[in-house]
Amino acid sequence: NDVNTSLHLAEYIYHIKEKTFDDNTIVQRSPIMLHGCTRKNVSYDVLPVETDQFEDIGKEFLEFCSMNHPEWYKETTIGLATVSFIYQPALVDFAVKRFG
């Protein structure tokens, strides 16, 4: 299964830039640790997971890399697994533009 949470980050950045949060945005509250102290009820926005575009974005990004920046994508084998090394900042920037 191919997964990459950087695309969720890109989706979130896109919504922040475009101010497209709506009634589907979920506000979560949870405690966090900050400088050794627990801060309670810190709230943050969570978008509903919409991964329908992720596979297409991934394919487009790999095509872009092969033509323009082959150093941003490397595939290799570790043990029995095939793994991909992807330059994450470029993937996030690419996906943010693609969501628009």
Side-chain angles (χ1 to χ4, degrees):
N1 192 5
D2 294 335
V3 295
N4 190 313
T5 57
S6 294
L7 295 179
H8 290 288
L9 173 61
E11 184 180 29
Y12 192 79
I13 291 169
Y14 169 76
H15 285 289
I16 289 172
K17 289 173 88 172
E18 299 300 317
K19 297 179 176 57
T20 56
F21 291 103
D22 56 23
D23 292 337
N24 293 324
T25 304
I26 303 163
V27 176
Q28 297 282 339
R29 291 186 178 277
S30 64
I32 64 166
M33 290 290 288
L34 182 63
H35 305 295
C37 300
T38 301
R39 308 277 183 186
K40 294 186 180 179
N41 297 324
V42 174
S43 63
Y44 52 93
D45 300 322
V46 177
L47 294 170
V49 176
E50 297 177 18
T51 60
D52 55 328
Q53 297 181 57
F54 286 11
E55 188 173 338
D56 291 338
I57 291 171
K59 288 177 183 176
E60 291 171 21
F61 181 73
L62 294 183
E63 288 175 21
F64 176 80
C65 287
S66 68
M67 292 187 294
N68 301 289
H69 293 282
E71 71 278 8
W72 287 355
Y73 176 80
K74 300 289 182 201
E75 193 173 276
T76 191
T77 302
I78 298 177
L80 298 175
T82 301
V83 296
S84 301
F85 294 95
I86 301 170
Y87 184 56
Q88 297 300 300
L91 174 60
V92 171
D93 291 344
F94 182 89
V96 169
K97 290 176 187 170
R98 173 64 167 67
F99 283 123

XYZ file of all heavy atoms in Angstrom:
819
model
N 0.845 -1.191 0.000
C 0.000 0.000 0.000
C 0.883 1.245 0.000
O 1.753 1.397 0.833
C -0.905 -0.034 1.225
C -2.001 1.000 1.163
O -2.155 1.698 0.173
N -2.768 1.079 2.206
N 0.678 2.126 -0.952
C 1.460 3.356 -1.045
C 0.783 4.451 -0.232
O -0.383 4.765 -0.474
C 1.566 3.823 -2.496
C 2.357 2.848 -3.346
O 3.178 2.117 -2.779
O 2.154 2.821 -4.564
N 1.494 5.005 0.734
C 0.956 6.091 1.547
C 2.009 7.164 1.730
O 3.206 6.887 1.705
C 0.473 5.600 2.934
C -0.697 4.656 2.791
C 1.582 4.909 3.687
N 1.542 8.394 1.902
C 2.458 9.488 2.158
C 1.675 10.600 2.844
O 0.859 11.265 2.222
C 3.082 9.989 0.853
C 4.203 10.956 1.123
O 4.064 11.867 1.913
N 5.324 10.746 0.472
N 1.922 10.800 4.123
C 1.173 11.809 4.865
C 1.531 13.226 4.449
O 0.827 14.169 4.809
C 1.376 11.656 6.383
O 2.765 11.729 6.674
C 0.827 10.331 6.873
N 2.578 13.408 3.670
C 2.916 14.742 3.163
C 1.793 15.290 2.297
O 1.614 16.507 2.214
C 4.211 14.705 2.369
O 5.282 14.387 3.217
N 1.037 14.423 1.668
C -0.084 14.896 0.857
C -1.211 15.418 1.743
O -1.919 16.345 1.363
C -0.571 13.792 -0.079
C 0.458 13.378 -1.126
C -0.085 12.259 -1.992
C 0.894 14.550 -1.975
N -1.364 14.857 2.924
C -2.326 15.423 3.875
C -1.865 16.805 4.318
O -2.676 17.729 4.449
C -2.498 14.509 5.090
C -3.207 13.239 4.796
N -4.563 13.179 4.542
C -2.759 11.975 4.701
C -4.910 11.936 4.316
N -3.827 11.179 4.404
N -0.569 16.954 4.559
C -0.024 18.266 4.911
C -0.288 19.264 3.790
O -0.716 20.395 4.037
C 1.478 18.168 5.190
C 2.216 19.490 5.402
C 1.663 20.243 6.603
C 3.714 19.240 5.541
N -0.050 18.856 2.558
C -0.281 19.748 1.414
C -1.749 20.155 1.328
O -2.064 21.315 1.057
C 0.147 19.055 0.123
N -2.633 19.204 1.570
C -4.064 19.509 1.535
C -4.419 20.538 2.606
O -5.153 21.495 2.358
C -4.855 18.214 1.743
C -6.347 18.378 1.640
C -7.081 17.073 1.860
O -6.580 16.196 2.586
O -8.175 16.953 1.294
N -3.860 20.371 3.788
C -4.117 21.299 4.893
C -3.563 22.693 4.555
O -4.233 23.699 4.757
C -3.490 20.748 6.169
C -3.929 21.476 7.413
C -5.169 21.217 7.984
C -3.115 22.428 8.013
C -5.580 21.876 9.123
C -3.528 23.092 9.155
C -4.756 22.808 9.703
O -5.167 23.476 10.825
N -2.334 22.748 4.036
C -1.741 24.034 3.653
C -2.597 24.725 2.602
O -2.848 25.934 2.674
C -0.294 23.842 3.150
C 0.615 23.439 4.310
C 0.228 25.107 2.462
C 1.996 22.981 3.885
N -3.060 23.968 1.627
C -3.918 24.541 0.587
C -5.166 25.164 1.208
O -5.530 26.295 0.879
C -4.318 23.467 -0.434
C -5.406 23.952 -1.356
C -5.105 24.833 -2.393
C -6.724 23.582 -1.166
C -6.110 25.312 -3.227
C -7.727 24.045 -1.998
C -7.417 24.911 -3.020
O -8.417 25.394 -3.833
N -5.816 24.449 2.113
C -7.034 24.975 2.733
C -6.750 26.216 3.582
O -7.561 27.134 3.623
C -7.730 23.900 3.573
C -8.438 22.885 2.740
N -9.589 23.166 2.043
C -8.151 21.592 2.474
C -9.994 22.085 1.400
N -9.127 21.115 1.633
N -5.595 26.249 4.238
C -5.226 27.443 5.009
C -5.016 28.633 4.064
O -5.533 29.726 4.295
C -3.952 27.201 5.846
C -4.264 26.256 7.003
C -3.379 28.515 6.365
C -3.043 25.806 7.772
N -4.260 28.418 2.977
C -3.974 29.508 2.041
C -5.243 30.017 1.369
O -5.406 31.213 1.150
C -2.982 29.035 0.979
C -1.584 28.835 1.508
C -0.686 28.218 0.461
C -0.068 29.297 -0.364
N 0.960 28.784 -1.282
N -6.138 29.122 1.034
C -7.359 29.495 0.319
C -8.527 29.805 1.254
O -9.601 30.175 0.800
C -7.755 28.373 -0.651
C -6.713 28.090 -1.708
C -6.431 29.306 -2.578
O -7.390 30.006 -2.979
O -5.240 29.563 -2.857
N -8.295 29.602 2.561
C -9.341 29.835 3.568
C -10.633 29.095 3.207
O -11.719 29.659 3.206
C -9.595 31.331 3.730
C -8.394 32.090 4.242
C -8.691 33.572 4.359
C -7.564 34.348 4.945
N -6.288 34.294 4.307
N -10.481 27.809 2.904
C -11.623 27.020 2.464
C -12.147 26.080 3.549
O -12.793 25.093 3.244
C -11.269 26.186 1.214
O -10.136 25.373 1.514
C -10.984 27.084 0.033
N -11.845 26.373 4.789
C -12.428 25.565 5.847
C -13.929 25.811 5.869
O -14.396 26.929 5.667
C -11.818 25.912 7.209
C -10.387 25.480 7.324
C -9.361 26.395 7.220
C -10.076 24.151 7.520
C -8.046 25.999 7.321
C -8.762 23.738 7.633
C -7.742 24.664 7.530
N -14.693 24.785 6.122
C -16.149 24.916 6.100
C -16.763 24.079 7.214
O -16.082 23.701 8.159
C -16.711 24.520 4.731
C -16.300 23.112 4.330
O -15.972 22.302 5.225
O -16.315 22.819 3.131
N -18.033 23.761 7.086
C -18.720 22.983 8.116
C -18.185 21.564 8.238
O -18.468 20.885 9.215
C -20.228 22.940 7.831
C -20.867 24.306 8.002
O -20.290 25.142 8.724
O -21.936 24.531 7.410
N -17.420 21.094 7.240
C -16.839 19.757 7.299
C -15.546 19.721 8.110
O -15.020 18.657 8.385
C -16.561 19.224 5.890
C -17.842 18.979 5.134
O -18.841 18.565 5.711
N -17.833 19.254 3.851
N -15.018 20.901 8.456
C -13.799 20.965 9.252
C -14.124 20.550 10.678
O -15.094 21.009 11.270
C -13.212 22.387 9.241
O -12.994 22.776 7.890
C -11.908 22.432 10.002
N -13.304 19.693 11.224
C -13.512 19.166 12.576
C -12.524 19.853 13.508
O -11.343 19.961 13.182
C -13.279 17.645 12.591
C -14.207 16.952 11.580
C -13.449 17.076 13.991
C -13.779 15.551 11.236
N -12.997 20.327 14.633
C -12.099 20.909 15.629
C -11.873 19.865 16.710
O -12.816 19.372 17.325
C -12.675 22.205 16.239
C -11.750 22.726 17.330
C -12.881 23.257 15.157
N -10.627 19.503 16.914
C -10.249 18.527 17.935
C -9.627 19.262 19.117
O -9.060 20.328 18.952
C -9.215 17.546 17.368
C -9.706 16.710 16.233
C -10.572 15.567 16.699
O -10.520 15.148 17.845
N -11.394 15.062 15.798
N -9.718 18.666 20.270
C -9.055 19.204 21.454
C -8.295 18.064 22.121
O -8.824 16.973 22.255
C -10.054 19.794 22.438
C -10.723 21.053 21.946
C -11.596 21.637 23.059
N -12.201 22.867 22.638
C -11.609 24.060 22.677
N -10.400 24.170 23.136
N -12.237 25.136 22.273
N -7.067 18.350 22.496
C -6.289 17.336 23.201
C -5.180 18.014 23.993
O -4.736 19.102 23.648
C -5.697 16.327 22.216
O -4.790 16.965 21.353
N -4.733 17.371 25.059
C -3.617 17.926 25.827
C -2.311 17.716 25.080
O -2.143 16.744 24.351
C -3.642 17.132 27.128
C -4.311 15.853 26.779
C -5.277 16.164 25.669
N -1.386 18.655 25.246
C -0.052 18.509 24.677
C 0.981 18.827 25.743
O 0.684 19.489 26.737
C 0.168 19.428 23.452
C 0.083 20.905 23.865
C -0.806 19.112 22.340
C 0.618 21.854 22.815
N 2.198 18.341 25.526
C 3.314 18.670 26.415
C 4.104 19.804 25.776
O 4.428 19.755 24.588
C 4.236 17.468 26.591
C 3.637 16.337 27.411
S 3.479 16.748 29.145
C 5.164 16.724 29.665
N 4.393 20.836 26.546
C 5.192 21.956 26.065
C 6.144 22.350 27.172
O 5.704 22.731 28.266
C 4.277 23.125 25.678
C 4.943 24.360 25.112
C 5.656 24.026 23.800
C 3.918 25.455 24.887
N 7.436 22.223 26.922
C 8.478 22.536 27.908
C 8.252 21.780 29.214
O 8.404 22.337 30.301
C 8.553 24.041 28.173
C 8.744 24.865 26.950
N 9.875 24.801 26.165
C 7.928 25.761 26.345
C 9.752 25.618 25.146
N 8.579 26.216 25.224
N 7.861 20.516 29.104
C 7.677 19.675 30.285
C 6.370 19.874 31.022
O 6.127 19.241 32.039
N 5.527 20.779 30.568
C 4.236 21.030 31.216
C 3.112 20.596 30.285
O 3.190 20.769 29.075
C 4.067 22.516 31.535
S 5.317 23.160 32.645
N 2.060 20.078 30.871
C 0.905 19.683 30.074
C -0.015 20.870 29.883
O -0.395 21.540 30.838
C 0.124 18.543 30.772
O 1.004 17.447 30.953
C -1.074 18.122 29.965
N -0.334 21.150 28.645
C -1.304 22.193 28.304
C -2.575 21.472 27.917
O -2.564 20.643 27.023
C -0.823 23.035 27.126
C 0.553 23.581 27.280
C 0.523 24.828 28.088
N 1.890 25.358 28.138
C 2.223 26.377 28.849
N 1.330 27.009 29.554
N 3.466 26.793 28.873
N -3.653 21.794 28.562
C -4.894 21.066 28.293
C -5.751 21.789 27.268
O -5.707 22.999 27.137
C -5.678 20.856 29.578
C -4.965 19.940 30.546
C -5.810 19.625 31.742
C -5.005 18.698 32.644
N -5.733 18.363 33.846
N -6.535 20.993 26.575
C -7.553 21.495 25.645
C -7.009 22.427 24.576
O -7.579 23.471 24.302
C -8.698 22.168 26.402
C -9.428 21.193 27.286
O -9.587 20.034 26.919
N -9.855 21.636 28.443
N -5.882 22.061 23.998
C -5.373 22.791 22.845
C -6.202 22.360 21.651
O -6.404 21.184 21.409
C -3.876 22.487 22.618
C -3.387 23.132 21.348
C -3.073 22.956 23.819
N -6.727 23.307 20.912
C -7.582 22.948 19.781
C -6.828 23.085 18.467
O -5.910 23.884 18.339
C -8.844 23.809 19.758
O -8.508 25.155 19.566
N -7.224 22.275 17.513
C -6.645 22.323 16.179
C -7.678 21.825 15.179
O -8.585 21.080 15.522
C -5.355 21.505 16.098
C -5.493 20.083 16.606
C -5.790 19.042 15.728
C -5.349 19.784 17.950
C -5.928 17.747 16.182
C -5.487 18.488 18.423
C -5.762 17.472 17.533
O -5.905 16.194 17.978
N -7.541 22.275 13.962
C -8.475 21.893 12.906
C -8.035 20.590 12.254
O -6.851 20.370 12.044
C -8.536 22.963 11.814
C -8.999 24.306 12.341
O -9.890 24.312 13.198
O -8.462 25.332 11.901
N -8.995 19.764 11.928
C -8.730 18.533 11.200
C -9.683 18.482 10.016
O -10.887 18.657 10.174
C -8.961 17.289 12.094
C -8.740 16.019 11.295
C -8.064 17.338 13.308
N -9.121 18.287 8.840
C -9.960 18.156 7.654
C -10.422 16.718 7.533
O -9.696 15.799 7.879
C -9.161 18.520 6.401
C -8.731 19.957 6.285
C -7.751 20.112 5.132
C -9.930 20.845 6.068
N -11.619 16.510 7.013
C -12.001 15.142 6.701
C -11.008 14.578 5.685
O -10.540 15.295 4.813
C -13.392 15.283 6.079
C -13.848 16.664 6.390
C -12.623 17.483 6.658
N -10.665 13.323 5.830
C -9.682 12.721 4.939
C -10.276 12.555 3.550
O -11.297 11.908 3.372
C -9.219 11.356 5.494
C -8.273 10.683 4.525
C -8.579 11.546 6.855
N -9.654 13.199 2.578
C -10.080 13.100 1.188
C -8.867 12.709 0.356
O -8.104 13.558 -0.063
C -10.660 14.431 0.708
C -11.903 14.845 1.460
C -12.426 16.192 1.013
O -12.041 16.648 -0.087
O -13.192 16.785 1.761
N -8.705 11.427 0.150
C -7.511 10.950 -0.528
C -7.745 10.614 -1.995
O -6.869 10.062 -2.645
C -6.972 9.700 0.185
O -7.989 8.690 0.160
C -6.589 9.998 1.617
N -8.893 10.976 -2.544
C -9.221 10.578 -3.908
C -8.252 11.128 -4.947
O -8.067 10.529 -6.005
C -10.662 10.944 -4.250
C -10.989 12.411 -4.038
O -10.409 13.017 -3.122
O -11.833 12.945 -4.778
N -7.597 12.249 -4.683
C -6.654 12.830 -5.647
C -5.207 12.386 -5.415
O -4.343 12.631 -6.252
C -6.690 14.357 -5.573
C -8.015 14.981 -5.933
C -7.916 16.485 -5.854
O -7.083 17.086 -6.514
N -8.755 17.092 -5.036
N -4.941 11.735 -4.296
C -3.562 11.458 -3.907
C -2.821 10.588 -4.915
O -1.663 10.841 -5.239
C -3.510 10.803 -2.528
C -3.777 11.747 -1.384
C -4.257 13.028 -1.582
C -3.562 11.335 -0.085
C -4.513 13.887 -0.524
C -3.799 12.179 0.986
C -4.268 13.450 0.760
N -3.450 9.559 -5.433
C -2.772 8.670 -6.377
C -2.398 9.415 -7.651
O -1.276 9.287 -8.157
C -3.651 7.463 -6.706
C -2.922 6.420 -7.515
C -3.734 5.151 -7.706
O -4.660 4.885 -6.923
O -3.421 4.435 -8.667
N -3.320 10.229 -8.168
C -3.033 11.014 -9.375
C -1.920 12.024 -9.125
O -1.043 12.216 -9.971
C -4.290 11.743 -9.870
C -5.329 10.796 -10.429
O -4.962 9.669 -10.823
O -6.510 11.184 -10.473
N -1.962 12.682 -7.972
C -0.912 13.655 -7.643
C 0.440 12.957 -7.574
O 1.437 13.461 -8.089
C -1.230 14.384 -6.322
C -2.435 15.312 -6.515
C -0.019 15.164 -5.819
C -2.972 15.910 -5.237
N 0.484 11.788 -6.959
C 1.735 11.034 -6.875
C 2.283 10.688 -8.244
O 3.484 10.857 -8.506
N 1.426 10.206 -9.124
C 1.860 9.861 -10.487
C 2.367 11.094 -11.227
O 3.393 11.053 -11.899
C 0.716 9.216 -11.257
C 0.392 7.817 -10.794
C -0.803 7.253 -11.550
C -1.175 5.885 -11.027
N -2.391 5.351 -11.662
N 1.642 12.202 -11.109
C 2.056 13.444 -11.773
C 3.386 13.948 -11.226
O 4.231 14.432 -11.983
C 0.983 14.513 -11.615
C -0.281 14.218 -12.394
C -1.422 15.174 -12.066
O -1.147 16.283 -11.556
O -2.579 14.808 -12.314
N 3.569 13.829 -9.913
C 4.820 14.270 -9.306
C 5.986 13.424 -9.822
O 7.055 13.955 -10.151
C 4.753 14.209 -7.778
C 6.009 14.675 -7.105
C 6.338 16.023 -7.082
C 6.871 13.777 -6.507
C 7.506 16.464 -6.468
C 8.042 14.207 -5.894
C 8.357 15.553 -5.878
N 5.805 12.117 -9.915
C 6.874 11.249 -10.419
C 7.205 11.562 -11.874
O 8.374 11.552 -12.269
C 6.501 9.779 -10.250
C 6.376 9.301 -8.804
C 6.063 7.812 -8.759
C 7.623 9.624 -8.001
N 6.188 11.866 -12.675
C 6.425 12.269 -14.064
C 7.215 13.577 -14.109
O 8.157 13.723 -14.888
C 5.104 12.428 -14.815
C 4.408 11.127 -15.126
C 3.040 11.342 -15.774
O 2.787 12.434 -16.334
O 2.229 10.413 -15.695
N 6.800 14.530 -13.262
C 7.497 15.816 -13.181
C 8.959 15.604 -12.794
O 9.856 16.195 -13.389
C 6.789 16.725 -12.176
C 7.478 18.029 -11.942
C 7.340 19.074 -12.846
C 8.274 18.217 -10.821
C 7.988 20.289 -12.632
C 8.919 19.422 -10.600
C 8.780 20.459 -11.511
N 9.185 14.751 -11.787
C 10.558 14.478 -11.340
C 11.387 13.870 -12.457
O 12.531 14.270 -12.671
C 10.556 13.524 -10.143
S 10.003 14.273 -8.622
N 10.832 12.881 -13.169
C 11.613 12.203 -14.202
C 12.031 13.162 -15.312
O 13.101 13.007 -15.900
C 10.841 11.011 -14.773
O 9.716 11.454 -15.501
N 11.213 14.177 -15.582
C 11.537 15.126 -16.653
C 12.367 16.314 -16.168
O 13.116 16.898 -16.939
C 10.255 15.644 -17.303
C 9.509 14.579 -18.080
S 8.104 15.215 -19.001
C 7.013 15.731 -17.684
N 12.219 16.693 -14.895
C 12.819 17.946 -14.421
C 13.809 17.788 -13.266
O 14.787 18.531 -13.199
C 11.714 18.914 -13.982
C 10.758 19.224 -15.106
O 11.117 19.919 -16.039
N 9.558 18.680 -15.037
N 13.526 16.905 -12.344
C 14.355 16.763 -11.141
C 14.470 15.295 -10.743
O 13.913 14.882 -9.716
C 13.766 17.561 -9.972
C 13.796 19.033 -10.163
N 14.938 19.779 -9.977
C 12.829 19.906 -10.551
C 14.675 21.053 -10.226
N 13.401 21.148 -10.583
N 15.211 14.483 -11.483
C 15.317 13.068 -11.133
C 15.940 12.833 -9.758
O 15.711 11.789 -9.145
C 16.186 12.482 -12.254
C 16.855 13.642 -12.887
C 15.969 14.826 -12.679
N 16.667 13.821 -9.242
C 17.279 13.673 -7.919
C 16.249 13.722 -6.789
O 16.546 13.391 -5.649
C 18.361 14.749 -7.703
C 17.850 16.162 -7.510
C 17.508 16.919 -8.799
O 17.505 16.329 -9.893
O 17.236 18.128 -8.692
N 15.031 14.141 -7.078
C 13.985 14.219 -6.055
C 13.303 12.885 -5.790
O 12.517 12.770 -4.864
C 12.915 15.231 -6.462
C 13.347 16.658 -6.350
C 14.523 17.138 -5.856
C 12.595 17.800 -6.747
N 14.554 18.509 -5.925
C 13.371 18.941 -6.469
C 11.337 17.961 -7.317
C 12.932 20.230 -6.736
C 10.908 19.245 -7.585
C 11.691 20.361 -7.289
N 13.581 11.886 -6.615
C 12.918 10.584 -6.442
C 13.910 9.457 -6.713
O 14.519 9.397 -7.773
C 11.727 10.455 -7.394
C 11.074 9.090 -7.331
C 10.188 8.786 -6.310
C 11.354 8.120 -8.279
C 9.596 7.535 -6.237
C 10.762 6.870 -8.213
C 9.884 6.583 -7.188
O 9.304 5.341 -7.109
N 14.071 8.589 -5.741
C 14.923 7.408 -5.885
C 14.153 6.203 -5.374
O 13.480 6.270 -4.347
C 16.222 7.545 -5.076
C 17.086 8.719 -5.459
C 17.735 8.529 -6.797
C 18.631 9.728 -7.095
N 18.911 9.900 -8.480
N 14.266 5.105 -6.096
C 13.639 3.858 -5.669
C 14.740 2.827 -5.477
O 15.672 2.747 -6.273
C 12.653 3.386 -6.738
C 11.737 2.287 -6.268
C 10.665 1.974 -7.303
O 9.643 2.692 -7.307
O 10.881 1.041 -8.087
N 14.645 2.049 -4.409
C 15.645 1.036 -4.123
C 14.989 -0.112 -3.362
O 13.805 -0.053 -3.035
C 16.827 1.629 -3.331
O 17.893 0.682 -3.298
C 16.424 2.014 -1.914
N 15.757 -1.126 -3.076
C 15.271 -2.264 -2.317
C 16.007 -2.321 -0.990
O 17.230 -2.196 -0.936
C 15.502 -3.573 -3.097
O 14.835 -3.477 -4.355
C 14.958 -4.766 -2.337
N 15.242 -2.500 0.076
C 15.807 -2.724 1.400
C 15.225 -4.052 1.874
O 14.004 -4.166 2.058
C 15.464 -1.588 2.377
C 16.048 -0.268 1.880
C 15.973 -1.928 3.776
C 15.713 0.926 2.739
N 16.076 -5.029 2.042
C 15.583 -6.368 2.358
C 14.751 -6.871 1.192
O 15.214 -6.905 0.058
N 13.501 -7.205 1.455
C 12.599 -7.666 0.405
C 11.637 -6.573 -0.058
O 10.816 -6.805 -0.937
C 11.792 -8.875 0.902
C 12.612 -10.113 1.277
C 11.720 -11.191 1.856
C 13.387 -10.640 0.081
N 11.754 -5.401 0.531
C 10.809 -4.321 0.229
C 11.389 -3.324 -0.766
O 12.559 -2.977 -0.701
C 10.431 -3.584 1.510
N 10.544 -2.878 -1.676
C 10.902 -1.777 -2.562
C 10.469 -0.485 -1.877
O 9.319 -0.360 -1.460
C 10.196 -1.905 -3.921
O 10.571 -3.144 -4.510
C 10.577 -0.762 -4.841
N 11.394 0.444 -1.721
C 11.098 1.698 -1.035
C 11.404 2.877 -1.948
O 12.240 2.783 -2.838
C 11.875 1.840 0.289
C 11.461 0.770 1.281
C 13.364 1.786 0.047
N 10.700 3.959 -1.724
C 10.889 5.181 -2.500
C 11.375 6.283 -1.577
O 10.822 6.474 -0.489
C 9.570 5.615 -3.138
O 9.077 4.605 -3.969
N 12.395 6.979 -2.011
C 12.884 8.155 -1.314
C 12.442 9.368 -2.118
O 12.816 9.516 -3.289
C 14.409 8.120 -1.176
C 14.901 7.005 -0.300
C 15.295 5.799 -0.849
C 14.943 7.171 1.071
C 15.741 4.766 -0.042
C 15.384 6.141 1.897
C 15.782 4.927 1.329
N 11.634 10.202 -1.495
C 11.033 11.339 -2.185
C 11.411 12.607 -1.436
O 11.294 12.680 -0.207
C 9.507 11.196 -2.244
C 9.134 9.907 -2.981
C 8.867 12.403 -2.900
C 7.664 9.544 -2.885
N 11.835 13.621 -2.178
C 12.153 14.912 -1.577
C 10.837 15.570 -1.147
O 10.079 16.091 -1.961
C 12.924 15.765 -2.584
C 13.378 17.093 -2.037
C 14.156 17.176 -0.888
C 13.038 18.275 -2.682
C 14.572 18.392 -0.392
C 13.459 19.500 -2.188
C 14.218 19.550 -1.050
O 14.621 20.759 -0.555
N 10.545 15.499 0.139
C 9.243 15.879 0.670
C 8.856 17.343 0.470
O 7.710 17.620 0.126
C 9.149 15.497 2.151
C 9.256 14.001 2.394
C 8.177 13.208 1.698
O 6.995 13.394 1.945
N 8.580 12.323 0.808
N 9.761 18.319 0.675
C 9.341 19.709 0.449
C 8.827 19.937 -0.975
O 7.849 20.651 -1.186
C 10.606 20.523 0.726
C 11.391 19.678 1.672
C 11.129 18.255 1.227
N 9.476 19.306 -1.952
C 9.037 19.467 -3.342
C 7.680 18.806 -3.561
O 6.822 19.351 -4.262
C 10.076 18.874 -4.289
N 7.470 17.647 -2.958
C 6.183 16.965 -3.089
C 5.060 17.801 -2.489
O 3.993 17.955 -3.086
C 6.229 15.589 -2.426
C 4.913 14.824 -2.367
C 4.353 14.571 -3.763
C 5.084 13.526 -1.599
N 5.293 18.370 -1.309
C 4.269 19.197 -0.658
C 3.951 20.421 -1.520
O 2.779 20.718 -1.773
C 4.713 19.617 0.764
C 3.759 20.643 1.355
C 4.798 18.402 1.671
N 4.971 21.115 -1.993
C 4.745 22.298 -2.837
C 3.979 21.928 -4.114
O 3.057 22.631 -4.520
C 6.067 22.961 -3.211
C 6.761 23.613 -2.030
O 6.107 23.821 -0.983
O 7.971 23.908 -2.151
N 4.372 20.828 -4.728
C 3.717 20.358 -5.947
C 2.240 20.056 -5.680
O 1.356 20.472 -6.425
C 4.430 19.097 -6.461
C 3.881 18.553 -7.735
C 4.377 18.993 -8.953
C 2.887 17.594 -7.738
C 3.881 18.481 -10.147
C 2.377 17.081 -8.913
C 2.873 17.528 -10.127
N 1.965 19.365 -4.583
C 0.595 18.978 -4.257
C -0.268 20.186 -3.904
O -1.437 20.243 -4.291
C 0.585 17.963 -3.121
N 0.289 21.169 -3.189
C -0.470 22.376 -2.852
C -0.941 23.057 -4.134
O -2.107 23.450 -4.262
C 0.354 23.359 -1.974
C -0.328 24.701 -1.867
C 0.588 22.770 -0.586
N -0.024 23.184 -5.098
C -0.409 23.798 -6.392
C -1.455 22.951 -7.106
O -2.378 23.487 -7.718
C 0.833 23.959 -7.268
C 1.779 25.001 -6.770
C 3.044 25.060 -7.605
C 4.038 26.004 -6.970
N 5.347 25.923 -7.591
N -1.314 21.647 -7.028
C -2.235 20.739 -7.716
C -3.634 20.798 -7.122
O -4.628 20.682 -7.835
C -1.663 19.324 -7.660
C -2.514 18.205 -8.161
C -2.823 18.313 -9.639
N -3.384 17.099 -10.155
C -4.571 16.605 -9.830
N -5.329 17.230 -8.942
N -5.004 15.486 -10.347
N -3.743 20.992 -5.795
C -5.065 21.090 -5.167
C -5.807 22.321 -5.641
O -7.019 22.362 -5.637
C -4.963 21.106 -3.640
C -4.706 19.753 -3.039
C -3.616 19.539 -2.232
C -5.555 18.694 -3.293
C -3.361 18.295 -1.676
C -5.332 17.447 -2.750
C -4.224 17.251 -1.938
N -5.070 23.344 -6.041
C -5.677 24.578 -6.495
C -6.204 24.452 -7.842
O -7.023 24.504 -8.512
